[in-house]
Amino acid sequence: QSALTQPASVSGSPGQSITISCTGTGSDVGGYNYVSWYQQHPGKAPKLIIYDVNSRPSGVSSRFSGSRSGNTASLTISGLQAEDEADYYCSSYTSSSTGVFGGGTKLTVL
Amino acid sequence: EVQLVQSGSEVIQPGESLKISCKGSGYNFTNYWIGWVRQMPGKGLEWMGIIYPDDSDTRYSPSFQGQVTISADKSINTAFLQWSSLKASDTAMYYCARTDFSSSGDYWGQGTLVTVSS
């Protein structure tokens, strides 16, 4: 199974909204309602921010939202804040009964 | 409070074996899967596999099948990741995560840094 495809980097100014895409196939992103998104700050463990395509864990800001169209999932962060600067990874369940991550996207808050 | 506490950093010579651990607390350890994730220096995350501690049902990602062994001992609420013969390319941070069968990790360990060097 190949890694899901994410843009290497995105950027935005405080207060703006950004969207990170995650493209897979019908055997992963498009085939199951099991897409997750993680935020990772340097030197820290990943943090789950979206699961099951568009659900937020308790305590995660409503500024984070997820969606999917066909084989592409998306993470949108609205009202960008300096603390949102981090690496973001998507993950999907696959037909191999395992998970696969995207390559990661570095978000820079200008 | 849910916690996953991993064993400490390791510096290992090529060809040696190693077993690292991940101890869960604050929840029913046998009701959730535990996943292992590799992060090589400066690189992204990779799912290695998951295990269900109650019956040791284990699923490996294709890239890691045959390269590592994932196990668990539910009597001590601990999952393990082991290698029989490490290579320099195994140098990485390894994380464990509480997950469901779909590999959605809601709680993560602090990571174990494994350095393979002569």
Side-chain angles (χ1 to χ4, degrees):
Chain A
Q1 61 201 27
S2 301
L4 307 176
T5 301
Q6 297 181 233
S9 62
V10 298
S11 63
S13 299
Q16 288 186 330
S17 294
I18 64 96
T19 297
I20 299 172
S21 61
C22 169
T23 300
T25 69
S27 296
D28 38 63
V29 173
Y32 307 94
N33 294 325
Y34 299 127
V35 176
S36 303
W37 288 91
Y38 300 86
Q39 176 191 63
Q40 186 181 34
H41 286 108
K44 301 294 187 181
K47 174 187 175 183
L48 180 68
I49 55 175
I50 295 289
Y51 66 98
D52 294 353
V53 179
N54 56 15
S55 297
R56 271 189 316 276
S58 175
V60 172
S61 171
S62 58
R63 297 186 299 105
F64 294 92
S65 62
S67 63
R68 182 189 58 192
S69 178
N71 296 336
T72 298
S74 298
L75 172 71
T76 297
I77 308 175
S78 59
L80 211 54
Q81 299 178 359
E83 67 207 50
D84 298 332
E85 185 160 296
D87 293 326
Y88 291 84
Y89 295 90
C90 61
S91 172
S92 175
Y93 182 70
T94 77
S95 57
S96 301
S97 300
T98 58
V100 64
F101 281 107
T105 298
K106 181 176 181 60
L107 169 62
T108 300
V109 180
L110 302 170
Chain B
E1 178 194 8
V2 174
Q3 281 193 312
L4 294 174
V5 178
Q6 299 185 228
S7 50
S9 298
E10 303 274 1
V11 180
I12 300 290
Q13 293 197 340
E16 292 189 335
S17 63
L18 177 66
K19 191 173 188 177
I20 63 174
S21 66
C22 169
K23 183 175 178 62
S25 63
Y27 73 100
N28 191 330
F29 189 71
T30 56
N31 283 1
Y32 292 84
W33 296 75
I34 291 286
W36 286 96
V37 174
R38 182 175 78 174
Q39 187 166 37
M40 300 175 73
K43 302 299 184 182
L45 305 173
E46 300 171 271
W47 282 110
M48 302 176 72
I50 57 174
I51 186 166
Y52 194 66
D54 192 42
D55 60 6
S56 291
D57 182 8
T58 308
R59 303 172 186 183
Y60 293 94
S61 294
S63 299
F64 294 94
Q65 179 79 50
Q67 307 304 307
V68 297
T69 301
I70 295 171
S71 61
D73 184 340
K74 62 183 179 182
S75 70
I76 56 172
N77 288 359
T78 303
F80 303 96
L81 176 66
Q82 68 181 89
W83 297 259
S84 58
S85 179
L86 282 154
K87 304 180 288 291
S89 57
D90 293 314
T91 294
M93 181 71 81
Y94 292 89
Y95 293 102
C96 66
R98 190 183 83 163
T99 180
D100 58 16
F101 76 95
S102 70
S103 298
S104 177
D106 59 353
Y107 288 90
W108 291 67
Q110 82 278 18
T112 296
L113 179 62
V114 174
T115 303
V116 184
S117 174
S118 55

